[in-house]
Each structure stands twice: as structure tokens, then as C-alpha cells.
Amino acid sequence: MNTRPIRFFFRGQIQEVRALPPTTSVLRWLRESADACGSKEGCAEGDCGACTVLVGELDAQERLQLRNLNACIQFLPMLDGKALFTVEDLGSSRQLNPVQQALVDCHGSQCGFCTPGFAMTLQALYESHQAAGTRPSRQQLADGLAGNLCRCTGYRPILDAGEQMFERPVQRLDTSAAEAALRQLREDAPLAYEAFDPAQQGPRQFLAPRSLEDLAALRQQWPQSRLLAGATDIGLWVNKQHRDVGTLISTLQVPALRELRAEPWHDGQPGLWIGAAASLEDAWSALVDRVPALRELWLRFASPPVRHAGTLGGNIANGSPIGDGAPALIALGAEIVLRLGAAQRRLPLQDFYLDYMKNALQPGEFVEALHLPLPGEDWQLRGYKIAKRYDSDISAVCAVFALRLAQGTVREARLVYGGMAGIVKRASQAEAALLGQAWDEHTLQAAVAALPQDFQPLSDLRASAAYRLQVAGNLLRRFWLETRTDSPLPAARSGIWWATQLGRDGQQPVTGAQP
């Protein structure tokens, strides 16, 4: 196999990197090799945002699309063929750009450690809204900044700066040189990179095929290799656990795996195809565009930098019992599309998970896509997330419910929970209590009473077993309150807020789920 260096655009020119281990983080390269120390390391796990950078790719119109990512958990070879911008690419000390000047004028920096990351996220918001000709609301700014933490509690002035940066004359980043460089980099051969890793005392490879067929062939050739998508998990394995991840095969350069398209379901009803390498942000955006009831779950799913890097296919293949993607897709009746060489097979997603962190993948097989039917008007669907923190937190319980009703009677039911067992799973006994029954409080109480037959959850740092069971029942009650025919409640924006409010409707309030 012919290897070549990693090539990407940075500081006005194409950079070439050789000899560094494939798992070298972008942040480490910036600080130790590129003399670009504005990006800081706060957590090394993609939580705090102090290391935020902008990474650009050409879109279908040949324009540079910029997204804010966490440099601490992005591996350097993942930059191949892309453009990298850091806080040093903003204005200078002699002439600040609108983002920087707004942060100064609004006193948006206190200790200053997190400021470069906030500036880069604000720059990403500035660029996207200027390109669209829109102005974000204060809530949209807050949602966009969900992946940046300020330990000095300076959020109000930072949000003020986010509003004020649009009051100044427009000054966007000059991306013309980057666009020209990326067009040139497209002519490079697919990346095959190899370097000695001192930590593992041997060479390590990073491969980035550009076709589905090449990916399938490499996966069969090296069935023990590690497939890499957004590195939002694997980056932590390297940073925190110092694991040897072996040969890495990236899925991100395969266009077929990034497709999002309308794909009819087997019975001809509308459906959605989500390629396994489509980013979490793009996949959830396409899903919520068709199923608006899941919008709040999308906004609470990790942070924007994690959603920009990670993929929904990776989230599903990882199979964490507290992952928020699987409950939504199982509730929608999705199937998982698997590929081994040229052969393709499909499974109902609910059958993909066998046990804790065990799935039905065969050696050399990988996830190609997720395919799901879109619910009709006779379906009621909601998604809820309970966590200790409102933004960017792991769920204690995630629940997505889907009911098909006819004349007020339950004809189909999918009650899916994450955080209640070793895998994401449906509450089959509770579903049985609903089928064929009127969607009323008596039926609801029967379903809630059946939940202990479905789940015997564990106690851990996020919640006790008793708390999880109580929350599971309360979420189902909330679902009924929002979908009952008589005076339904409006869906609340915050799944954390309403978990403490259920006592108003005759149920003991759930305590401990504070934002």
C-alpha cells in the first residue's frame, strides 16, 4: 500500500505532516508543533470547549462549510483534505474582528482560559448566520454555545456579545485561499498513513478509503481493525485510557455513507435513509425536519461540536445503553443496514443489540445505513431526556414513545427506554398492557405498573434504580398528559423541567433532576 503524508490547509497554505502517530490529536499538534497555543486543553474529552477550532469542507456549491469541533478528540489524519482555523485566524491585536470586539465590549472574558473556545464557537455562529442572512435569537445562541463551559459563570455577558457581534460592519473570514487549496487537495490519492507510535512501540496505520467498495474490502482484509467516524468515543479511549486502537479505518471520506435521502419504506410509505457516516447534526436535522416531535431530544443530544464530529451510525454501532440515538430510532421502527463485502443484510434495530456492549455484527461487517419509516398522522410520538445538567450531559433515562391510535384505541405501541437496562430496549410488558385498550388513565396506570416487569435498572452515579423506575413511569404519564384527547398538555421545552412538575397532576414529583 502506497502511503503519503497528511495534507490539509492551515495558516494560508497546505501543510504536510509526517512521522507523528495517527492518534496524535489536532490540539496536541497545534500546541506542540504549530506554535498555535491559543487553543487550550481543559478536559481532553470534548466536554468543555476550550480547544474549539473550525474545520472546513467544500459543500455541493464549492463553498467552504465551517463547523466548530473539539480539537482535543480529533486525530490529525482526520484533517486530511480539509481546512483548519484557530483563534489566531481571527482579528489581530491591532484590529479585532466583530466577535472579539463584542467579547471585549461586553466583558465576556473573566479568567480568560475558556475565551478562545467561546470566540471560535461564536465565529461559527457568526459565519453561518451571515451566510444565511439571519440573526440568531438569544436562545439559539445559548443552544449553539452548549458545548462551551465557563467556570467563572460568565454566560450572560458572553450571550450579550453574541447578540452585539451582529451590530458591527460585516467582517467574515476570508476563505478563498482555503477553497482553492481544498480543490487542489481533492486530487490527492486516498489517505494511507503510517507512522511509528512510541506509546505502542510499533507502527500504526490510518486508512481513509473513498468508496463503499474499498471500505468493504479493507474491512474484510483487516476484520480486527477499528472503524473510525467522529472519534467522539475513540478519542477518549486514547486520551483517558491510553488504549492501543490498532489500525484505524475512517468512514468519513466515503460519500455513499454520508447520504441523507428520502427512501420509501417496504410498504411504500415515506421513509428516510441515513448513511452511517452522516454527522449527528445532519442526521438529526433531517430526522427532525420530518418528525418535529423529536426536536428537543436533538438539541439535548450532546453539544454542537460533538454533533458536528460524531455520526449517528457510530452512535448506534457503539451501542451504549445510555445513548440517545437508539431509543428514537427503535421507537420509529428503524432497521439497521449491515454490509459484509458486497453482501447487504437488514435487521430491525431492536434486534441488533444482544447484551451490554454486544451486537450482531459479524467479523468484517460494518454499518452501512439506518432506514426508517416516517410516522403517519395516526401516530403519537414524543422523546424525553432526563439528566443532571440541561445541556451536554449523559442521560440518566432517555425515553421515546410511539403509539398508533384509532378511535382512541391503542393499535400499536413502542415504548423504548435507554438507561434502564444493559441495552436500549422496548418495554414489552408495558406495551402489552396498552394494546387494544382505550388511551385513558386506567390503561396508563396498567402500563406503568408493568414497567418493573420489563426493567430492573442499576444504581450508579447518575441515578438510583428506584429513581429510574419512578422516572420511567412519570415519563409515560407525561406522554399520556400530552397526547390524551381531553385537555392535552403542551410539550415542555425542557425534559428536565417537567420531570419535577408531574406532582401537579396527581403524581409525586420526581426530585434530583436539576439543570
Side-chain angles (χ1 to χ4, degrees), residues 17-34:
V17 176
R18 297 177 173 86
L20 291 176
T23 53
T24 301
S25 71
V26 173
L27 179 62
R28 181 176 178 182
W29 179 81
L30 284 171
R31 297 184 62 83
E32 297 181 2
S33 301

Side-chain angles (χ1 to χ4, degrees), residues 309-376:
T311 66
L312 189 55
N315 177 257
I316 295 302
N318 181 44
S320 169
I322 49 176
D324 295 340
L329 294 176
I330 292 174
L332 288 166
E335 63 182 12
I336 188 167
V337 183
L338 306 174
R339 187 179 180 102
L340 177 62
Q344 186 188 85
R345 70 182 179 114
R346 301 180 179 222
L347 285 176
L349 181 56
Q350 66 190 42
D351 297 337
F352 180 66
Y353 302 115
L354 306 179
D355 201 347
Y356 176 70
M357 302 306 286
K358 293 182 180 180
N359 58 44
L361 279 173
Q362 300 173 0
E365 194 172 42
F366 62 94
V367 180
E368 180 178 345
L370 297 152
H371 186 205
L372 57 119
L374 299 177

Side-chain angles (χ1 to χ4, degrees), residues 228-269:
L228 176 80
T232 54
D233 268 329
I234 295 178
L236 272 69
W237 299 351
V238 172
N239 289 349
K240 300 296 186 178
Q241 300 175 8
H242 308 292
R243 287 170 59 175
D244 178 10
V245 294
T247 296
L248 292 172
I249 301 178
S250 172
T251 65
L252 294 180
Q253 297 299 324
V254 181
L257 290 183
R258 301 177 75 172
E259 286 187 354
L260 294 161
R261 65 175 187 263
E263 183 80 11
W265 191 242
H266 307 304
D267 60 2
Q269 74 180 94

Side-chain angles (χ1 to χ4, degrees), residues 300-470:
R300 303 282 73 79
F301 190 115
S303 65
V306 169
R307 296 200 303 263
H308 293 159
T311 66
L312 189 55
N315 177 257
I316 295 302
N318 181 44
S320 169
I322 49 176
D324 295 340
L329 294 176
I330 292 174
L332 288 166
E335 63 182 12
I336 188 167
V337 183
L338 306 174
R339 187 179 180 102
L340 177 62
Q344 186 188 85
R345 70 182 179 114
R346 301 180 179 222
L347 285 176
L349 181 56
Q350 66 190 42
D351 297 337
F352 180 66
Y353 302 115
L354 306 179
D355 201 347
Y356 176 70
M357 302 306 286
K358 293 182 180 180
N359 58 44
L361 279 173
Q362 300 173 0
E365 194 172 42
F366 62 94
V367 180
E368 180 178 345
L370 297 152
H371 186 205
L372 57 119
L374 299 177
E377 294 182 357
D378 54 345
W379 282 90
Q380 294 283 355
L381 186 135
R382 296 288 190 281
Y384 307 112
K385 178 184 174 84
I386 297 295
K388 290 185 176 182
R389 194 171 63 208
Y390 180 68
D391 278 319
S392 190
D393 199 6
I394 295 173
S395 294
V397 176
C398 179
V400 183
F401 306 134
L403 292 186
R404 186 172 67 84
L405 302 174
Q407 286 85 46
T409 300
V410 179
R411 299 303 182 191
E412 291 185 65
R414 302 190 195 106
L415 310 179
V416 190
Y417 287 91
M420 296 290 290
I423 59 174
V424 173
K425 59 176 288 191
R426 293 171 62 173
S428 58
Q429 296 298 317
E431 290 176 3
L434 296 177
L435 293 177
Q437 304 299 313
W439 186 224
D440 57 21
E441 186 161 12
H442 176 76
T443 301
L444 166 75
Q445 290 173 348
V448 171
L451 286 173
Q453 302 174 53
D454 287 309
F455 302 109
Q456 294 79 46
L458 296 176
S459 295
D460 58 21
L461 293 176
R462 295 186 182 91
S464 68
Y467 175 84
R468 284 189 161 104
L469 272 175
Q470 185 176 3

Side-chain angles (χ1 to χ4, degrees), residues 47-302:
D47 275 346
C48 74
C51 66
T52 304
V53 296
L54 301 186
V55 174
E57 296 182 81
L58 294 177
D59 62 16
Q61 289 73 44
E62 297 286 293
R63 294 184 300 240
L64 196 69
Q65 182 187 53
L66 294 171
R67 285 189 158 173
N68 51 314
L69 302 176
N70 297 303
C72 67
I73 54 173
Q74 290 286 290
F75 298 143
L76 200 57
M78 298 171 70
L79 286 181
D80 189 70
K82 301 178 184 179
L84 173 66
F85 296 88
T86 68
V87 70
E88 289 88 354
D89 290 302
L90 305 187
S92 66
S93 58
R94 295 182 178 180
Q95 184 177 3
L96 301 180
N97 83 343
V99 171
Q100 294 167 312
Q101 191 62 58
L103 284 167
V104 170
D105 293 344
C106 296
H107 305 284
S109 179
Q110 293 188 44
C111 81
F113 190 88
C114 67
T115 302
F118 273 98
M120 294 308 289
T121 294
L122 288 172
Q123 187 70 43
L125 291 165
Y126 182 84
E127 295 289 335
S128 63
H129 282 279
Q130 291 290 9
T134 57
R135 293 279 292 270
S137 66
R138 196 171 179 91
Q139 184 58 55
Q140 286 175 316
L141 288 169
D143 289 337
L145 288 165
N148 292 85
L149 301 183
C150 172
R151 304 188 191 282
C152 301
T153 67
Y155 295 114
R156 183 196 56 76
I158 293 170
L159 289 172
D160 292 343
E163 293 178 323
Q164 192 177 116
M165 66 187 182
F166 290 96
E167 302 295 337
R168 300 183 170 277
V170 177
Q171 184 183 337
R172 297 180 61 188
L173 292 175
D174 183 358
T175 60
S176 56
E179 290 169 354
L182 265 56
R183 286 191 285 271
Q184 178 182 340
L185 290 172
R186 277 193 308 211
E187 303 303 316
D188 288 352
L191 180 64
Y193 178 77
E194 183 174 318
F196 183 80
D197 188 340
Q200 308 304 333
Q201 294 297 303
R204 292 295 181 267
Q205 288 184 318
F206 185 103
L207 309 173
R210 293 181 185 166
S211 73
L212 194 57
E213 293 73 22
D214 287 346
L215 173 62
L218 287 172
R219 185 63 170 151
Q220 283 190 294
Q221 183 179 353
W222 285 295
Q224 301 306 314
S225 61
R226 180 75 61 183
L227 286 186
L228 176 80
T232 54
D233 268 329
I234 295 178
L236 272 69
W237 299 351
V238 172
N239 289 349
K240 300 296 186 178
Q241 300 175 8
H242 308 292
R243 287 170 59 175
D244 178 10
V245 294
T247 296
L248 292 172
I249 301 178
S250 172
T251 65
L252 294 180
Q253 297 299 324
V254 181
L257 290 183
R258 301 177 75 172
E259 286 187 354
L260 294 161
R261 65 175 187 263
E263 183 80 11
W265 191 242
H266 307 304
D267 60 2
Q269 74 180 94
L272 177 65
W273 179 277
I274 301 175
S279 73
L280 284 163
E281 187 74 357
D282 291 344
W284 274 101
S285 178
L287 184 58
V288 169
D289 185 55
R290 296 162 174 83
V291 189
L294 294 176
R295 178 176 177 78
E296 182 64 20
L297 194 59
W298 168 33
L299 293 177
R300 303 282 73 79
F301 190 115

